[in-house]
Amino acid sequence: MNIFNQFIKSLYSPKDIAQYRFQGIGKTILYVFFLTFLSLIPSIIYFSTALINGMEAIQSSVKTELPSFVIENGEMQADLEAPKIINKDEFTIILDPTGTVDQEELSNSNNTIALLKNEAFIKAGGQTQSFPYSMVPDFTLTNDDLENILASIDSSLAIIIPLIAVVIYIVAAGLKFIEISFLALVGLLLQKLMDVNMQYRHTWRIAAYSVTLPAVFFTVMDSLRTLVPNGAIINWFVAFIILLLVIKEIPKLEKK
């Protein structure tokens, strides 16, 4: 059975998922990469669109509305007593040398570029990245430098966006493997309680397919740009229920 048929059957058939416990580990790993790629498509599209559409507005704002500042020795300095916030189209630009704005506030914002006291923060298309100034030794930045950097970024988006997408994909795949590995441990406990004979390699395989339905659900929600309250809890709960249904399809040990 090819990977696409497995994907479809994993959405509704615990009985078929139970049969996948005997397949090669390589095919299961390939499926996890495929599922991760599929789940990231909406986020990557929105991230790319937001970055492209916002770049022109950001360049204009930096040139005409942003006050003078300088970043050196890992810290930003500007003649401001409160954060400067510029709303431009669908983007927000924040200059904060006071340390008033924190990342928790920014995480709840929409498309945002923030130059904070000790780090830069970017959120676009639902993806968040932060860059401490101290990462680069002898880092210095002024308004003119920022204008030049934005112009260079604008001309290099065709290269930058795929690179960022690859990094996001690698991180997401790593997190997906961790999620599956933990779910497989739960599967080991369930199979003992239900008198089923499986080893960890078997529970890992069926766990990889048990996360399909919640992954597709959140992919659809991302494509609709709809925030799901308590999403992590729902994700684990649905995956757990499917894993339980799959293990119930596996024959029990015969009692002597």
Side-chain angles (χ1 to χ4, degrees), residues 97-109:
T98 66
T100 305
V101 179
D102 58 35
Q103 280 207 22
E104 185 174 347
E105 294 178 61
L106 295 172
S107 298
N108 297 323
S109 63

Side-chain angles (χ1 to χ4, degrees), residues 11 14 32 39 88 118 136 145 152 167 169 172 174 209 221 240 247:
L11 293 172
V32 175
S39 64
K88 196 76 171 181
N118 301 112
V136 182
D145 296 330
S152 299
V167 172
Y169 176 70
Y209 291 93
M221 291 298 102
F240 172 80
I247 294 176

Side-chain angles (χ1 to χ4, degrees), residues 132-192:
Y133 306 138
S134 57
M135 286 179 58
V136 182
D138 302 322
F139 176 71
T140 302
L141 185 72
T142 64
N143 295 62
D144 292 337
D145 296 330
L146 182 58
E147 288 181 31
N148 294 332
I149 289 173
L150 290 174
S152 299
I153 291 174
D154 189 37
S155 62
S156 305
L157 284 179
I159 299 174
I160 293 173
I161 290 175
L163 289 176
I164 295 177
V166 169
V167 172
I168 294 172
Y169 176 70
I170 291 172
V171 173
L175 293 175
K176 183 63 69 176
F177 277 104
I178 293 172
E179 175 189 349
I180 291 168
S181 298
F182 182 80
L183 190 62
L185 290 174
V186 176
L188 273 182
L189 176 61
L190 290 176
Q191 63 95 16
K192 288 182 180 180

Side-chain angles (χ1 to χ4, degrees), residues 21 178-208 210-211 236 239-248 250:
R21 70 189 186 275
I178 293 172
E179 175 189 349
I180 291 168
S181 298
F182 182 80
L183 190 62
L185 290 174
V186 176
L188 273 182
L189 176 61
L190 290 176
Q191 63 95 16
K192 288 182 180 180
L193 294 175
M194 299 171 69
D195 292 327
V196 174
N197 183 24
M198 284 196 300
Q199 297 179 348
Y200 181 75
R201 66 178 184 270
H202 300 130
T203 60
W204 199 94
R205 288 174 172 86
I206 63 175
S210 296
V211 300
W236 282 105
F240 172 80
I241 293 299
I242 294 175
L243 182 66
L244 180 63
L245 294 175
V246 172
I247 294 176
K248 287 181 66 175
I250 298 173

